Each structure stands twice: as C-alpha cells, then as structure tokens.
Amino acid sequence: MMQGISLILALLVLNPLLQDGERAFQEGRYSVATEKLQAVLANSPKDEVAKTFLAMTQAATGKCSTALPVLTTVRQGELLRLASLAAVKCYSTIGENTQAFVLLDRLQKTYPNDADVLYLDAKLHMKAFNDATYKMFQRSPSSYRVHELSAEIFEVQHQYEDAVGEYRKAIEQNPAAPDLHFRLGRAILLEKHDTDSLKRAEEEFRAELRISPEDSACEFQLGQIAAVEGNRDAAASHFKEALELTPDFVQALIALGKLETTNKNFDGAIAHLQRAVELQPANETAHYALLTAYRDSGDLEKAKLEKQKLDSLQKPPSGEFSDFLKKLGEKQPEQ
C-alpha cells in the first residue's frame, strides 16, 4: 500500500493543479475540487488520479450514478482502496446493499487491518441491523421475535428489568422457542443476584434444557448458581457436564479449576486451568486461577512463572499510540 501512496504523492507533486484538487477534496471543498480536477482532465483526459478523485468528489456530493462507473474500474494500489471505500458508501446510499457488502468483503480481504475499512464495515452492519429491525417492527409487530429483539436491545442498554419483561412476552407467544429461557435466565441474573433471582434464573435454565438438552451454556449457568449457593458437588457436576458437551468451554474450565483448587484436588485443577490458558493465552482470569492452584499445591516455582505471565498481560502497552491514548485521558490545565 505504501508504494501506491508514494505513486500518488509523486503525481501530485508533478501536477500542482491536481494537488490543489486533491487538497480541496480532502478539506471538503467539493466545488473547488470539482473545478480543479475537471481542469486537469481537460488537458489530460486519461489521468487516472484526477478521474478517481473527481469520482470520489461526485460520490461525496451524492452523484453516485456518475461516480460508480469510475470508482468500480480503478485497479491500482492506494487509488483502488480509496475508490472502493467511496464505492461502498455509494452502493449503501442508493440501497444496493448486496453490492456494498460484496465490495466491502473484497476490501477486508485485501486490507484486513485497515481502520477505514473496519469502520465502514461496522457502520454498514449497524445500518443493516437498524433497517432490518425497522422492517421487523413494521411488518411483524405481533411476532415473538419482536419481543425477543426488544429484550436484546434493552440488555445492551443495561435496562434488565425491561429485558426480562420482553423475554417473558416472547415466551408467552412461543414457549418452545430455543434460547428464550436461557436469555431470560441470564437477564434475571444481570438484574439482581439475590436468592429469589437465583431461583427464578435456575428455573429458566432448567426449562431451556428441556427444550435444548445439550445446551452447555445452561449447564454452566446452573453450575455458577450452585457455586454461589455453596453446593460444590452440584456445581462441579454442572461444570463437568458443560465440558462434556463443549470440551473447549474456557469459562467452564476456569470455574471447575477454581472449584477443584478449593477442594484441594490440585492435579485436576491444574489440568483444567492449563487447558484454559492453552485455549486463551491472554485470559488473565485463567492465569490467576492457575497461579493460585500452583501456589496452593506448594509448587512455588511454577506459581512464580505464572505470576510473570500475568504481570506481562497486565502491563500497559507502550509506544507512541499508547502515549497518545494516555494524553487523551489527561485533564486539561485549569485556566
């Protein structure tokens, strides 16, 4: 990509008028950019850079039908990236969502770590979600899915009481639908952790298991509830069942490892926790639990090594960008 940028910069330096047009485009002065770029093309009709920037200017001002034929034929380096980004926005603007996502997918494969591409991906998916949600509420207002989606939105907003209410409405309409009882149980626990909430959540997880007997997430949640209630045997049973169903369930491995440490079954605890850190090397909870298991078992050397790994994970990143982020969090001096 740097070679593409260098080529564009070289062309801009060689042509001051083109440079003026590109600068005007970047500054959002689209009428000036149009004038300058058209003047370049009047003298050099085949100038690829001028044609592309003019098309991007047209796209930015809503002239997508004029811009797209040019934007979708660009084939070189950085110009291709810029033109493709503009084309994706145009396709989305005119409602050609399929074309937008096809082109976006191509961009992601070519530039997997590009911030502009990732931002556009997030924005388009958010728009698609909002459009689909609107259609659902307009066309199927009586569907249980409307209540389910409403509940999920309330969850994202941390309005758990409202989420619980919506999940209950969804279940009333379709009591056999998979995942609803699980989501209701989880929402109950997110709202409160008192004894009554634990019991109500447990009922929902058990109801989910009657619909989906191999739901490892439900087994895990039942294990968590049993652990909070002090019933270690029941908790261990549920965690083991979760791992039978999903062997790489990291949270279940950690929970069972902690429980085995408490029960002084250190070999079992260490085996589960080693597996957890193998699956998720950056999981601080897993490393801390493994450190504890080593320490309590008397293996202080391995505990020390685990502490070093944990410290390295918790160490804040260094470098120019992290320094910039730190400055963002600094208070401005009082005037």
Side-chain angles (χ1 to χ4, degrees):
M1 189 167 73
M2 290 303 298
Q3 291 179 344
I5 295 174
S6 299
L7 178 60
I8 294 174
L9 289 174
L11 291 170
L12 291 173
V13 170
L14 290 173
N15 191 332
L17 194 59
L18 178 59
Q19 189 177 36
D20 290 342
E22 187 272 343
R23 184 184 299 114
F25 168 78
Q26 298 291 357
E27 293 173 353
R29 296 181 293 119
Y30 298 126
S31 59
V32 175
T34 299
E35 179 185 341
K36 299 289 184 183
L37 294 166
Q38 285 177 337
V40 173
L41 290 169
N43 295 321
S44 305
K46 295 184 179 180
D47 190 309
E48 189 75 11
V49 175
K51 284 170 62 178
T52 303
F53 273 102
L54 179 59
M56 289 192 293
T57 302
Q58 292 165 338
T61 53
K63 301 181 179 69
C64 286
S65 59
T66 304
L68 277 169
V70 176
L71 295 175
T72 54
T73 55
V74 176
R75 292 290 179 268
Q76 59 169 303
E78 175 66 2
L79 275 182
L80 172 61
R81 187 186 77 90
L82 294 172
S84 296
L85 286 168
V88 169
K89 293 176 185 177
C90 258
Y91 279 132
S92 177
T93 298
I94 63 178
E96 294 286 347
N97 293 326
T98 300
Q99 292 288 345
F101 280 109
V102 167
L103 184 52
L104 183 59
D105 182 63
R106 199 179 305 154
L107 268 172
Q108 288 178 306
K109 289 176 180 175
T110 308
Y111 309 102
N113 300 316
D114 187 283
D116 291 329
V117 175
L118 293 171
Y119 171 78
L120 190 56
D121 179 52
K123 191 171 182 179
L124 257 64
H125 278 90
M126 191 181 302
K127 181 180 182 298
F129 172 79
N130 290 337
D131 290 346
T133 300
Y134 177 77
K135 289 178 184 176
M136 178 184 288
F137 278 77
Q138 288 293 109
R139 300 177 186 178
S140 304
S142 60
S143 167
Y144 82 93
R145 289 294 195 186
V146 168
H147 293 296
E148 182 179 13
L149 186 57
S150 297
E152 292 177 17
I153 293 170
F154 280 131
E155 274 193 63
V156 171
Q157 298 171 340
H158 304 293
Q159 298 180 39
Y160 301 120
E161 184 177 357
D162 292 323
V164 167
E166 289 297 321
Y167 281 130
R168 290 199 185 283
K169 291 176 183 177
I171 290 170
E172 285 175 8
Q173 288 185 265
N174 193 346
D179 207 35
L180 286 180
H181 287 282
F182 170 77
R183 287 183 171 276
L184 173 55
R186 189 182 61 178
I188 289 170
L189 291 179
L190 288 169
E191 183 186 5
K192 294 178 183 177
H193 289 87
D194 57 31
T195 302
D196 180 60
S197 296
L198 291 175
K199 291 297 181 186
R200 289 189 292 121
E202 180 180 353
E203 290 173 5
E204 297 304 329
F205 295 133
R206 292 192 184 281
E208 185 66 46
L209 284 172
R210 288 193 288 272
I211 297 169
S212 306
E214 297 185 358
D215 192 318
S216 59
C218 277
E219 292 288 354
F220 173 74
Q221 292 291 350
L222 289 170
Q224 293 281 71
I225 291 172
V228 169
E229 293 175 337
N231 192 338
R232 294 181 189 175
D233 291 341
S237 177
H238 286 299
F239 293 144
K240 288 175 182 177
E241 183 60 28
L243 289 168
E244 281 289 323
L245 296 167
T246 308
D248 292 345
F249 195 155
V250 171
Q251 294 305 317
L253 286 165
I254 295 171
L256 186 55
K258 288 180 177 180
L259 200 58
E260 298 283 26
T261 299
T262 302
N263 292 335
K264 302 190 183 304
N265 178 11
F266 299 117
D267 288 342
I270 289 168
H272 292 308
L273 295 167
Q274 284 177 334
R275 178 62 180 154
V277 297
E278 286 173 8
L279 290 168
Q280 291 185 1
N283 191 312
E284 294 181 19
T285 303
H287 282 287
Y288 183 78
L290 183 55
L291 181 160
T292 303
Y294 281 137
R295 182 199 64 197
D296 291 359
S297 71
D299 195 336
L300 299 184
E301 281 302 314
K302 288 186 178 177
K304 183 178 179 181
L305 291 172
E306 206 57 41
K307 177 67 164 58
Q308 291 173 353
K309 292 177 185 176
L310 185 61
D311 287 344
S312 68
L313 289 172
Q314 294 176 335
K315 182 180 179 181
S318 59
E320 183 179 345
F321 186 64
S322 59
D323 291 340
F324 170 69
L325 291 178
K326 290 176 188 175
K327 290 178 182 178
L328 286 179
E330 292 176 355
K331 291 183 178 180
Q332 296 298 315
E334 295 182 3
Q335 301 297 324

Short mmCIF file of all heavy atoms in Angstrom, two decimals, residues 4-13 15 18-19 21-22 25 37 40-41 44-57 70-71 74 76 78-79 82-83:
data_model
loop_
_atom_site.label_atom_id
_atom_site.label_comp_id
_atom_site.label_asym_id
_atom_site.label_seq_id
_atom_site.Cartn_x
_atom_site.Cartn_y
_atom_site.Cartn_z
N GLY A 4 1.68 2.44 -3.43
CA GLY A 4 0.56 3.14 -4.03
C GLY A 4 0.49 4.58 -3.57
O GLY A 4 0.26 5.50 -4.35
N ILE A 5 0.70 4.79 -2.28
CA ILE A 5 0.69 6.16 -1.72
C ILE A 5 1.82 6.98 -2.32
O ILE A 5 1.64 8.14 -2.70
CB ILE A 5 0.81 6.10 -0.19
CG1 ILE A 5 -0.42 5.43 0.42
CG2 ILE A 5 0.97 7.50 0.38
CD1 ILE A 5 -0.31 5.20 1.91
N SER A 6 3.01 6.38 -2.45
CA SER A 6 4.17 7.09 -3.00
C SER A 6 3.91 7.52 -4.43
O SER A 6 4.28 8.62 -4.84
CB SER A 6 5.40 6.20 -2.93
OG SER A 6 5.69 5.86 -1.60
N LEU A 7 3.27 6.64 -5.21
CA LEU A 7 2.96 6.96 -6.60
C LEU A 7 2.00 8.14 -6.68
O LEU A 7 2.19 9.05 -7.48
CB LEU A 7 2.35 5.74 -7.30
CG LEU A 7 1.92 5.95 -8.75
CD1 LEU A 7 3.12 6.35 -9.61
CD2 LEU A 7 1.26 4.69 -9.30
N ILE A 8 0.97 8.13 -5.85
CA ILE A 8 0.00 9.23 -5.85
C ILE A 8 0.69 10.54 -5.47
O ILE A 8 0.49 11.58 -6.10
CB ILE A 8 -1.16 8.94 -4.89
CG1 ILE A 8 -1.97 7.75 -5.41
CG2 ILE A 8 -2.06 10.16 -4.75
CD1 ILE A 8 -3.05 7.29 -4.45
N LEU A 9 1.53 10.47 -4.42
CA LEU A 9 2.22 11.69 -3.98
C LEU A 9 3.12 12.23 -5.09
O LEU A 9 3.20 13.44 -5.30
CB LEU A 9 3.05 11.38 -2.73
CG LEU A 9 2.26 11.13 -1.45
CD1 LEU A 9 3.19 10.69 -0.32
CD2 LEU A 9 1.48 12.37 -1.04
N ALA A 10 3.80 11.33 -5.81
CA ALA A 10 4.67 11.77 -6.90
C ALA A 10 3.88 12.47 -7.99
O ALA A 10 4.29 13.51 -8.51
CB ALA A 10 5.42 10.56 -7.47
N LEU A 11 2.72 11.91 -8.33
CA LEU A 11 1.87 12.52 -9.36
C LEU A 11 1.35 13.88 -8.92
O LEU A 11 1.26 14.82 -9.72
CB LEU A 11 0.71 11.58 -9.70
CG LEU A 11 1.10 10.28 -10.43
CD1 LEU A 11 -0.09 9.33 -10.47
CD2 LEU A 11 1.60 10.59 -11.84
N LEU A 12 1.03 13.99 -7.63
CA LEU A 12 0.54 15.26 -7.12
C LEU A 12 1.61 16.34 -7.18
O LEU A 12 1.34 17.51 -7.51
CB LEU A 12 0.04 15.09 -5.67
CG LEU A 12 -1.23 14.25 -5.48
CD1 LEU A 12 -1.49 14.01 -4.00
CD2 LEU A 12 -2.43 14.93 -6.12
N VAL A 13 2.84 15.95 -6.83
CA VAL A 13 3.94 16.92 -6.87
C VAL A 13 4.19 17.39 -8.29
O VAL A 13 4.48 18.57 -8.54
CB VAL A 13 5.21 16.27 -6.26
CG1 VAL A 13 6.43 17.16 -6.51
CG2 VAL A 13 5.03 16.05 -4.77
N ASN A 15 2.05 17.69 -10.64
CA ASN A 15 0.94 18.46 -11.19
C ASN A 15 0.29 19.30 -10.08
O ASN A 15 -0.57 18.83 -9.34
CB ASN A 15 -0.09 17.51 -11.80
CG ASN A 15 -1.14 18.25 -12.61
OD1 ASN A 15 -1.44 19.42 -12.35
ND2 ASN A 15 -1.71 17.56 -13.60
N LEU A 18 -3.52 19.33 -9.94
CA LEU A 18 -4.04 18.09 -9.37
C LEU A 18 -3.89 18.10 -7.85
O LEU A 18 -4.79 17.68 -7.12
CB LEU A 18 -3.30 16.89 -9.97
CG LEU A 18 -3.67 15.50 -9.44
CD1 LEU A 18 -5.15 15.21 -9.65
CD2 LEU A 18 -2.83 14.43 -10.12
N GLN A 19 -2.77 18.63 -7.39
CA GLN A 19 -2.53 18.74 -5.95
C GLN A 19 -3.57 19.65 -5.30
O GLN A 19 -4.11 19.34 -4.23
CB GLN A 19 -1.13 19.29 -5.71
CG GLN A 19 -0.68 19.26 -4.25
CD GLN A 19 0.74 19.75 -4.09
OE1 GLN A 19 1.17 20.67 -4.79
NE2 GLN A 19 1.47 19.14 -3.19
N GLY A 21 -6.60 20.20 -6.41
CA GLY A 21 -7.88 19.50 -6.43
C GLY A 21 -7.97 18.45 -5.34
O GLY A 21 -9.01 18.31 -4.67
N GLU A 22 -6.88 17.70 -5.14
CA GLU A 22 -6.87 16.67 -4.09
C GLU A 22 -6.99 17.32 -2.72
O GLU A 22 -7.71 16.82 -1.85
CB GLU A 22 -5.58 15.85 -4.19
CG GLU A 22 -5.50 14.66 -3.26
CD GLU A 22 -4.93 15.00 -1.91
OE1 GLU A 22 -4.30 16.07 -1.78
OE2 GLU A 22 -5.11 14.19 -0.97
N PHE A 25 -10.50 18.42 -2.11
CA PHE A 25 -11.34 17.25 -1.80
C PHE A 25 -11.17 16.83 -0.34
O PHE A 25 -12.16 16.59 0.37
CB PHE A 25 -10.97 16.09 -2.74
CG PHE A 25 -11.57 14.77 -2.31
CD1 PHE A 25 -12.90 14.50 -2.56
CD2 PHE A 25 -10.80 13.83 -1.64
CE1 PHE A 25 -13.47 13.29 -2.16
CE2 PHE A 25 -11.35 12.62 -1.24
CZ PHE A 25 -12.69 12.35 -1.49
N LEU A 37 -10.13 19.51 -10.65
CA LEU A 37 -9.95 18.19 -11.25
C LEU A 37 -10.46 18.14 -12.68
O LEU A 37 -9.87 17.48 -13.55
CB LEU A 37 -10.64 17.14 -10.38
CG LEU A 37 -10.02 16.96 -8.98
CD1 LEU A 37 -10.96 16.17 -8.07
CD2 LEU A 37 -8.67 16.28 -9.07
N VAL A 40 -7.79 19.60 -14.83
CA VAL A 40 -6.72 18.64 -15.10
C VAL A 40 -7.13 17.70 -16.23
O VAL A 40 -6.36 17.43 -17.16
CB VAL A 40 -6.39 17.82 -13.83
CG1 VAL A 40 -5.39 16.71 -14.15
CG2 VAL A 40 -5.83 18.72 -12.73
N LEU A 41 -8.37 17.21 -16.14
CA LEU A 41 -8.84 16.24 -17.14
C LEU A 41 -9.05 16.87 -18.51
O LEU A 41 -9.00 16.18 -19.53
CB LEU A 41 -10.14 15.59 -16.65
CG LEU A 41 -9.96 14.64 -15.46
CD1 LEU A 41 -11.31 14.24 -14.87
CD2 LEU A 41 -9.18 13.40 -15.90
N SER A 44 -5.57 16.47 -19.64
CA SER A 44 -5.11 15.07 -19.62
C SER A 44 -6.30 14.16 -19.34
O SER A 44 -6.50 13.72 -18.19
CB SER A 44 -4.03 14.89 -18.55
OG SER A 44 -2.97 15.80 -18.72
N PRO A 45 -7.11 13.86 -20.35
CA PRO A 45 -8.36 13.10 -20.15
C PRO A 45 -8.17 11.72 -19.54
O PRO A 45 -9.10 11.17 -18.94
CB PRO A 45 -8.94 12.99 -21.57
CG PRO A 45 -8.28 14.09 -22.33
CD PRO A 45 -6.92 14.25 -21.75
N LYS A 46 -6.97 11.15 -19.67
CA LYS A 46 -6.74 9.80 -19.17
C LYS A 46 -6.03 9.78 -17.82
O LYS A 46 -5.60 8.72 -17.36
CB LYS A 46 -5.92 9.01 -20.19
CG LYS A 46 -6.64 8.76 -21.50
CD LYS A 46 -5.82 7.89 -22.43
CE LYS A 46 -6.56 7.62 -23.73
NZ LYS A 46 -5.77 6.76 -24.65
N ASP A 47 -5.90 10.93 -17.19
CA ASP A 47 -5.22 10.99 -15.87
C ASP A 47 -6.03 10.20 -14.83
O ASP A 47 -7.11 10.61 -14.41
CB ASP A 47 -5.09 12.45 -15.43
CG ASP A 47 -4.20 12.61 -14.21
OD1 ASP A 47 -4.43 11.89 -13.21
OD2 ASP A 47 -3.27 13.43 -14.26
N GLU A 48 -5.49 9.03 -14.45
CA GLU A 48 -6.21 8.12 -13.55
C GLU A 48 -6.47 8.71 -12.18
O GLU A 48 -7.54 8.54 -11.59
CB GLU A 48 -5.41 6.81 -13.41
CG GLU A 48 -6.15 5.70 -12.70
CD GLU A 48 -7.23 5.06 -13.56
OE1 GLU A 48 -7.27 5.33 -14.78
OE2 GLU A 48 -8.03 4.30 -13.01
N VAL A 49 -5.49 9.43 -11.65
CA VAL A 49 -5.64 10.02 -10.32
C VAL A 49 -6.73 11.09 -10.33
O VAL A 49 -7.59 11.14 -9.45
CB VAL A 49 -4.30 10.60 -9.82
CG1 VAL A 49 -4.49 11.32 -8.48
CG2 VAL A 49 -3.26 9.51 -9.69
N ALA A 50 -6.70 11.96 -11.32
CA ALA A 50 -7.70 13.03 -11.42
C ALA A 50 -9.09 12.44 -11.60
O ALA A 50 -10.06 12.90 -10.98
CB ALA A 50 -7.35 13.97 -12.57
N LYS A 51 -9.21 11.44 -12.47
CA LYS A 51 -10.52 10.80 -12.70
C LYS A 51 -11.06 10.19 -11.40
O LYS A 51 -12.25 10.31 -11.09
CB LYS A 51 -10.38 9.70 -13.76
CG LYS A 51 -10.27 10.23 -15.18
CD LYS A 51 -9.90 9.13 -16.16
CE LYS A 51 -10.94 8.05 -16.21
NZ LYS A 51 -10.58 7.00 -17.20
N THR A 52 -10.16 9.55 -10.65
CA THR A 52 -10.61 8.89 -9.41
C THR A 52 -11.02 9.91 -8.37
O THR A 52 -12.07 9.76 -7.72
CB THR A 52 -9.48 7.99 -8.87
OG1 THR A 52 -9.10 7.04 -9.86
CG2 THR A 52 -9.95 7.25 -7.62
N PHE A 53 -10.22 10.94 -8.18
CA PHE A 53 -10.57 11.96 -7.18
C PHE A 53 -11.83 12.73 -7.58
O PHE A 53 -12.63 13.12 -6.72
CB PHE A 53 -9.40 12.92 -6.94
CG PHE A 53 -8.44 12.43 -5.89
CD1 PHE A 53 -7.24 11.86 -6.25
CD2 PHE A 53 -8.75 12.52 -4.54
CE1 PHE A 53 -6.36 11.38 -5.30
CE2 PHE A 53 -7.88 12.05 -3.58
CZ PHE A 53 -6.67 11.48 -3.95
N LEU A 54 -12.03 12.94 -8.88
CA LEU A 54 -13.26 13.58 -9.32
C LEU A 54 -14.46 12.68 -9.01
O LEU A 54 -15.51 13.15 -8.54
CB LEU A 54 -13.20 13.89 -10.82
CG LEU A 54 -14.46 14.55 -11.40
CD1 LEU A 54 -14.75 15.88 -10.70
CD2 LEU A 54 -14.32 14.76 -12.91
N ALA A 55 -14.31 11.38 -9.26
CA ALA A 55 -15.40 10.44 -8.96
C ALA A 55 -15.68 10.40 -7.46
O ALA A 55 -16.84 10.33 -7.03
CB ALA A 55 -15.04 9.05 -9.48
N MET A 56 -14.63 10.45 -6.65
CA MET A 56 -14.83 10.45 -5.20
C MET A 56 -15.50 11.74 -4.75
O MET A 56 -16.32 11.74 -3.82
CB MET A 56 -13.49 10.26 -4.48
CG MET A 56 -12.92 8.86 -4.62
SD MET A 56 -11.53 8.50 -3.53
CE MET A 56 -10.27 9.59 -4.18
N THR A 57 -15.18 12.83 -5.43
CA THR A 57 -15.85 14.11 -5.14
C THR A 57 -17.33 14.02 -5.50
O THR A 57 -18.20 14.47 -4.74
CB THR A 57 -15.18 15.25 -5.93
OG1 THR A 57 -13.80 15.31 -5.60
CG2 THR A 57 -15.84 16.59 -5.61
N VAL A 70 -16.78 4.91 -12.58
CA VAL A 70 -15.34 5.17 -12.48
C VAL A 70 -14.76 4.47 -11.25
O VAL A 70 -13.73 3.80 -11.33
CB VAL A 70 -15.06 6.69 -12.40
CG1 VAL A 70 -13.57 6.95 -12.18
CG2 VAL A 70 -15.55 7.38 -13.65
N LEU A 71 -15.42 4.61 -10.11
CA LEU A 71 -14.90 4.06 -8.85
C LEU A 71 -14.72 2.55 -8.92
O LEU A 71 -13.79 2.00 -8.32
CB LEU A 71 -15.86 4.41 -7.70
CG LEU A 71 -16.01 5.89 -7.36
CD1 LEU A 71 -17.08 6.08 -6.28
CD2 LEU A 71 -14.68 6.49 -6.90
N VAL A 74 -11.33 1.26 -11.02
CA VAL A 74 -9.96 1.57 -10.58
C VAL A 74 -9.25 0.27 -10.22
O VAL A 74 -9.82 -0.60 -9.58
CB VAL A 74 -9.98 2.53 -9.37
CG1 VAL A 74 -8.56 2.78 -8.87
CG2 VAL A 74 -10.64 3.85 -9.75
N GLN A 76 -5.47 0.24 -9.41
CA GLN A 76 -4.11 0.38 -8.91
C GLN A 76 -4.03 0.83 -7.46
O GLN A 76 -4.73 1.74 -7.05
CB GLN A 76 -3.30 1.35 -9.79
CG GLN A 76 -3.90 2.76 -9.87
CD GLN A 76 -2.94 3.74 -10.52
OE1 GLN A 76 -1.83 3.91 -10.04
NE2 GLN A 76 -3.37 4.38 -11.60
N GLU A 78 -3.19 2.35 -3.92
CA GLU A 78 -3.93 3.13 -2.94
C GLU A 78 -5.18 3.74 -3.55
O GLU A 78 -6.19 3.93 -2.88
CB GLU A 78 -3.03 4.22 -2.36
CG GLU A 78 -3.71 5.21 -1.41
CD GLU A 78 -4.19 4.56 -0.13
OE1 GLU A 78 -3.99 3.35 0.07
OE2 GLU A 78 -4.79 5.28 0.69
N LEU A 79 -5.12 4.04 -4.84
CA LEU A 79 -6.32 4.56 -5.52
C LEU A 79 -7.46 3.54 -5.45
O LEU A 79 -8.62 3.91 -5.28
CB LEU A 79 -6.02 4.88 -6.99
CG LEU A 79 -5.41 6.25 -7.30
CD1 LEU A 79 -5.24 6.39 -8.80
CD2 LEU A 79 -6.28 7.37 -6.75
N LEU A 82 -9.05 3.74 -1.92
CA LEU A 82 -9.86 4.94 -1.76
C LEU A 82 -11.14 4.88 -2.59
O LEU A 82 -12.23 5.21 -2.11
CB LEU A 82 -9.04 6.17 -2.15
CG LEU A 82 -7.83 6.51 -1.27
CD1 LEU A 82 -7.00 7.62 -1.89
CD2 LEU A 82 -8.28 6.90 0.13
N ALA A 83 -10.99 4.43 -3.83
CA ALA A 83 -12.15 4.35 -4.72
C ALA A 83 -13.15 3.31 -4.21
O ALA A 83 -14.37 3.53 -4.26
CB ALA A 83 -11.70 4.00 -6.13
#
